Amino acid sequence: MNGEFEWNEITFDIAKGVEKAVMPMFGTPEAGKDMGENVSGDVTKYVDRVAENLVVERLKPLGVNIVSEEIGNIDVGSDYTAVIDPIDGSYNFAAGIPVFAFSLAVFKCRSPIYGAVYEFVTGNFYEGIPGKGAFMNGNPIHVRKAERGKEAISFYTRGRCTGLIKKVKRVRVLGAIAVELTYLAKGALDGVLDVRNYVRTTDIAAGVLIAREAGALVTDENGEELRLNLNATDQTNIIAVNDRHLLNVILEEISRGG
Ligand code: IPD
Ligand code: CA
């Protein structure tokens, strides 16, 4: 098999399958049960395990490589790699906070060819297709035009660059970065930043493609275009914004060593 599939149909179908399997345990202690460590040393929750088993079972017959948050890499020698976070925001899920999503991106060699995020609670299905754009439920979406002094950003800081907080109007940290990147893409946020050197490709691969296709600038902490390694363990910083001015404000704050 060569990986040239109708990824939109396959992905939507898998996302609906995950939804059916996991939603009955939303906000329950069962969902948060500790199943041991994943490949990055984080805790795998019961809901993560249920969702990932289902996704892997669906993807295996397609003969593509798989990079998934809990089990890591399954390399079958294909040119195509599906990068998955079966549940982004699993703390939220187990705690009963309704911000979490399914995330899947497909790469041919190192280039993304498709990305989707399915937000179970709203039923919104976001897609990014290189050169074609970003979509929510099939309708094109775009980042919004920045308005100075009115910026709303999601900012994962762990004490770094906190001076930035005074330079924007609103900070919202929602606990599911795949979802937050789609909010940037549809113009609900102006920026999504994580400067903890903590997020992994599985968390952001689809969201980055969607945000970029919607017009966002997505860089590392030096302002260079963010490049993602196709594995489940490397950790990175990310700056995703709708406007170069905001990017410069952020980079200046970082260069001050905050
Ligand atoms: C987490 C969320 C969160 C981000 C963490 C991720 P998970 O994903 O995306 O927003 O700050 O870095 O680990 O672990 O709930 O799938
Ligand atoms: Ca996850």
Side-chain angles (χ1 to χ4, degrees), residues 38 42-43 45 48 69-70 85-93 99-101 154 156 158 173-180 194 196 198-200 202-204 235:
N38 69 16
D42 280 352
V43 169
K45 296 182 174 51
D48 297 321
E69 185 165 8
E70 315 304 327
D85 189 349
I87 303 283
D88 181 61
S90 27
Y91 170 82
N92 285 354
F93 185 97
V99 187
F100 51 87
S154 161
Y156 293 87
R158 199 167 282 158
V173 187
L174 306 178
I177 198 163
V179 175
E180 291 164 287
D194 192 325
R196 301 170 299 164
Y198 190 73
V199 287
R200 287 148 303 186
T202 47
D203 298 318
I204 58 176
Q235 293 176 299

Side-chain angles (χ1 to χ4, degrees), residues 99-179:
V99 187
F100 51 87
F102 167 79
S103 167
L104 184 150
V106 183
F107 290 73
K108 182 176 184 187
C109 300
R110 284 203 61 188
S111 303
I113 60 166
Y114 180 78
V117 170
Y118 179 60
E119 200 186 359
F120 304 107
V121 172
T122 59
N124 285 331
F125 187 62
Y126 299 89
E127 296 172 283
I129 305 170
K132 294 204 172 142
F135 305 88
M136 183 177 85
N137 304 327
N139 301 312
I141 51 172
H142 301 281
V143 295
R144 72 181 170 207
K145 196 173 166 334
E147 274 190 79
R148 305 277 92 87
K150 295 207 172 159
E151 298 86 356
I153 64 169
S154 161
F155 183 23
Y156 293 87
T157 154
R158 199 167 282 158
R160 278 194 78 191
C161 317
T162 47
L164 183 61
I165 292 167
K166 289 189 189 146
K167 298 197 170 158
V168 296
K169 183 159 183 188
R170 298 184 173 91
V171 177
R172 302 281 184 273
V173 187
L174 306 178
I177 198 163
V179 175

